[in-house]
Amino acid sequence: MKTDIEIAQEAKMMHIADIGKKIGIEDEYLELYGNYKAKVSQRLWEKIKDRKDGKLILVTSINPTPAGEGKSTVTVGLGQALNKLKKKVAIALREPSLGPCMGIKGGAAGGGYSQVVPMEDINLHFTGDMHAIGSAHNLLSAMIDNHIHQGNELNIDVRRITWKRAIDMNDRALREIVVGLGGKANGYPRQDGFIITVASEIMAILCLATDFKDLKERLGKIIIGYDKDDNPVTAKDLKADGAMALLLKDTIKPNLVQTLENVPAFIHGGPFANIAHGCNSIIATRYGLKLADYLVTEAGFGADLGAEKFFDIKCRYGGLKPSAAVVVATIRALKMHGGLKKDELKTESIDALEKGVENLGKHIENVQKYGIPVVVAINRFMSDTDKEIQFVKRYCNELGVEVALTEVWEKGGEGGIELAEKVIGACEKESDFKPIYELDASIEDKIRTIAREIYGADDVEFTKEAVKDLKNIEKLGFSHLPVCVAKTQYSLSDDPKLLGRPKGFNITVKSLNISAGAGFIVAMTGDILTMPGLPKAPAAEKMDIDEEGNIKGLF
């Protein structure tokens, strides 16, 4: 069986200008990065902004497990299937981060015969967006320490600087560091650290900005820490916002590529879903909705994280109204949620499915709470038995939810025809979309609403530090912002070991951070790391390139 990269390297790609023409983008609005990648000019927006929006379809999933769910693969496959049904369709995905690619995942561009290409470029440096975001982030870091070294006119409290440095790599050794060592010429020594670039507030800002003016204003609002009188200090106070925006002048433009079956795909921005809001950019989504009749997009991890933040944060800021949602599940993952270990998944087990399928049921219920029609996609694996598949289908039918067996990894668009037909039907139904909470509610009430309604928690507990943070948020006037909960992706709870549909638990909020530029409050729960580490055997160990430039090992 061919690997993902072998399939991608055999792809018959069309010139990116011809891909653009498929959805009405003329050559003059494309800035080419070779033959198969392009950035879309901001000038195009003036031409298309008054067009009617197409149908917005969100692809989400159950809580992920080591068994795999294939959400990105189904997103690409659904887009290809809609194309086979002669629909004018585009896809909108996030950009992969080098850290996870080199760590565990090895690539994030779909899989099998449902991939976006050129796969190697997308997974590696692509069009330089990650580099630009990291540069803008670290420019601000450098200007903070330089300001203090040059006399500290803003009276910044060096003990309360909250802005760390960033790098697009998993590197646990950089989580906690000390900077400024080596004497007076090197500045003031202080504790610092690194986060991974996709956890940067600048990444979230890029993905939530509606235009360049909005981007620059949001950059200026970033709180880097506090002065000695407890007042917040911003990037604008440091006069860093203009130069940061300058570094992002091309990054704000959406990237256009294609799938293996030559369906147009926007890939732009990539915030983590358990730390940030886990969705591609509003700008790319808006372009896709104006240019295509159907736009298929995805949100990171399970519906308790990516979908909740897509609905409550991204749709709010972007003025978006989803037409339908797809919840992806696999028999394998549901059996893991039902108690089986990874090495037991090839064995048929209806007992494990009966327990694990409740995780799927909760995610279906959650999406329905937003007033959106739901379709379940069973992403088929070779080890799935007919009896297991029929069990999950009956479960969905008893809930009154459409369900389709999906084989897009093996068959590409052809393997998603049933899913595409049911999604088209769902899009014809009335969407009564509405966020789960109102912005004028208190931060505590917003968090409790998410915890009780989406996670199924009994209540929320706030540590002493979190209570102190809540008072600071209220004092500074940020209580009106939406909430972005940082939580484990593996469980509906804040304990990654509680699989299935746990009950009788509380969520503990340890601290709250103000992302004033992005426009949300981050509630930290569990043990969430903003700088991941590499595993014992990193995916990078199996990667290589030969003398002719052929890459292998990128899954």
Side-chain angles (χ1 to χ4, degrees):
M1 188 175 292
K2 294 178 181 177
T3 63
D4 288 348
I5 194 167
E6 288 171 338
I7 293 169
Q9 288 169 341
E10 294 173 358
K12 292 181 172 60
M13 290 186 281
M14 293 172 59
H15 194 283
I16 197 63
D18 295 324
I19 294 295
K21 288 184 177 68
K22 281 192 166 191
I23 48 174
I25 305 177
E26 292 98 341
D27 292 359
E28 64 180 291
Y29 298 111
L30 292 177
E31 300 171 10
L32 304 189
Y33 283 63
N35 293 331
Y36 307 114
K37 300 175 291 182
K39 281 203 169 277
V40 182
S41 170
Q42 293 171 280
R43 294 182 296 109
L44 178 62
W45 183 248
E46 288 302 312
K47 178 181 178 182
I48 65 175
K49 66 180 182 180
D50 295 325
R51 294 182 185 176
K52 182 181 177 182
D53 284 349
K55 303 287 188 181
L56 177 58
I57 302 157
L58 174 71
V59 179
T60 183
S61 77
I62 61 174
N63 288 101
T65 70
E69 289 68 49
K71 177 160 46 61
S72 296
T73 301
V74 171
T75 301
V76 176
L78 173 57
Q80 294 185 152
L82 288 166
N83 181 61
K84 283 188 173 294
L85 294 175
K86 309 300 182 186
K87 302 298 182 182
K88 188 178 182 184
V89 60
I91 295 166
L93 297 171
R94 292 175 296 162
E95 297 182 50
S97 166
L98 272 181
C101 284
M102 298 294 171
I104 297 175
K105 297 173 71 173
Y113 289 91
S114 290
Q115 297 186 60
V116 278
V117 286
M119 182 260 225
E120 301 104 307
D121 292 1
I122 293 166
N123 279 314
L124 299 176
H125 300 294
F126 200 21
T127 57
D129 290 346
M130 290 290 180
H131 168 74
I133 291 166
S135 297
H137 183 111
N138 291 324
L139 170 64
L140 180 54
S141 300
M143 290 184 72
I144 293 168
D145 284 300
N146 182 64
H147 181 88
I148 295 167
H149 177 70
Q150 301 295 349
N152 198 5
E153 184 182 342
L154 293 172
N155 202 27
I156 297 170
D157 187 341
V158 295
R159 300 163 301 179
R160 298 189 66 197
I161 295 172
T162 55
W163 189 259
K164 295 187 176 184
R165 286 163 161 81
I167 185 172
D168 189 31
M169 190 55 61
N170 292 10
D171 192 347
R172 63 174 58 83
L174 294 177
R175 287 173 187 161
E176 298 291 341
I177 63 172
V178 177
V179 297
L181 298 179
K184 184 178 178 180
N186 294 345
Y188 284 85
R190 68 179 181 86
Q191 188 172 350
D192 199 359
F194 275 78
I195 62 174
I196 192 166
T197 301
V198 284
S200 169
E201 186 177 350
I202 294 176
M203 175 63 84
I205 287 171
L206 174 78
C207 289
L208 291 173
T210 52
D211 54 32
F212 196 76
K213 179 174 179 289
D214 186 32
L215 174 79
K216 186 175 178 180
E217 288 175 355
R218 287 173 178 268
L219 291 171
K221 292 177 181 177
I222 292 172
I223 295 174
I224 63 93
Y226 295 84
D227 66 19
K228 292 177 183 177
D229 295 318
D230 291 334
N231 300 307
V233 180
T234 67
K236 190 169 185 178
D237 293 333
L238 286 162
K239 301 176 184 176
D241 51 327
M244 291 163 68
L246 182 155
L247 290 173
L248 300 173
K249 69 180 181 65
D250 292 318
T251 307
I252 195 172
K253 303 169 186 174
N255 306 297
L256 182 68
V257 288
Q258 62 192 289
T259 74
L260 290 174
E261 296 178 11
N262 313 121
V263 174
F266 295 97
I267 300 185
H268 195 216
F272 267 9
N274 59 350
I275 297 166
H277 67 288
C279 311
N280 73 292
S281 74
I282 285 176
I283 292 175
T285 301
R286 283 181 164 181
Y287 273 58
L289 287 171
K290 297 297 183 184
L291 292 164
D293 295 331
Y294 293 87
L295 179 70
V296 184
T297 190
E298 53 96 31
F301 295 134
D304 56 321
L305 287 171
E308 184 273 314
K309 295 169 183 179
F310 178 87
F311 295 142
D312 287 320
I313 298 176
K314 178 176 177 176
C315 288
R316 226 189 272 265
Y317 280 122
L320 306 172
K321 184 180 180 181
S323 296
V326 175
V327 178
V328 179
T330 64
I331 302 295
R332 291 160 53 87
L334 290 174
K335 288 194 290 189
M336 282 200 82
H337 276 292
L340 292 192
K341 294 181 173 61
K342 192 174 180 180
D343 59 3
E344 300 173 327
L345 297 179
K346 292 183 179 180
T347 303
E348 181 179 275
S349 177
I350 300 301
D351 288 342
L353 267 183
E354 285 180 346
K355 298 172 186 175
V357 79
E358 291 188 5
N359 186 268
L360 171 60
K362 178 56 177 165
H363 288 296
I364 292 170
E365 178 186 309
N366 287 347
V367 175
Q368 289 175 329
K369 287 180 178 181
Y370 289 92
I372 300 167
V374 181
V375 179
V376 171
I378 303 174
N379 188 19
R380 185 168 197 170
F381 278 68
M382 292 175 63
S383 60
D384 300 344
T385 68
D386 290 341
K387 190 175 179 181
E388 289 173 328
I389 292 167
Q390 289 306 314
F391 175 86
V392 177
K393 282 188 171 183
R394 281 196 306 273
Y395 178 84
C396 294
N397 291 334
E398 287 170 3
L399 294 177
V401 173
E402 293 282 358
V403 57
L405 187 63
T406 309
E407 299 176 285
V408 295
W409 184 90
E410 180 184 359
K411 301 177 181 178
E414 193 63 39
I417 296 296
E418 180 189 10
L419 176 62
E421 290 173 341
K422 292 191 174 181
V423 167
I424 291 169
C427 287
E428 298 306 315
K429 297 177 182 176
E430 185 62 33
S431 173
D432 298 319
F433 172 69
K434 185 181 180 182
I436 202 79
Y437 58 78
E438 300 295 336
L439 288 180
D440 58 6
S442 68
I443 297 296
E444 301 102 304
D445 286 345
K446 291 169 190 171
I447 295 171
R448 281 196 170 91
T449 297
I450 294 170
R452 289 170 176 168
E453 296 294 328
I454 304 302
Y455 308 155
D458 290 342
D459 202 0
V460 178
E461 298 173 0
F462 294 89
T463 64
K464 288 182 179 179
E465 183 181 352
V467 171
K468 184 179 178 181
D469 292 337
L470 285 168
K471 290 178 180 177
N472 187 51
I473 290 166
E474 188 172 347
K475 182 186 80 171
L476 296 176
F478 292 114
S479 295
H480 65 285
L481 295 179
V483 171
C484 181
V485 180
K487 182 184 76 68
T488 178
Q489 65 268 34
Y490 298 114
S491 172
L492 285 160
S493 73
D494 54 5
D495 180 353
K497 295 178 182 178
L498 293 180
L499 303 186
R501 183 175 183 170
K503 296 178 181 177
F505 66 92
N506 289 346
I507 295 289
T508 300
V509 176
K510 295 184 174 181
S511 63
L512 296 110
N513 304 320
I514 304 170
S515 291
F520 52 65
I521 303 298
V522 180
M524 301 296 294
T525 73
D527 297 318
I528 297 300
L529 296 171
T530 53
M531 170 52 80
L534 291 171
K536 187 173 182 179
E541 291 181 356
K542 298 179 181 178
M543 297 179 191
D544 202 355
I545 184 169
D546 65 21
E547 296 81 359
E548 296 178 354
N550 297 310
I551 293 172
K552 66 178 182 179
L554 197 61
F555 279 35

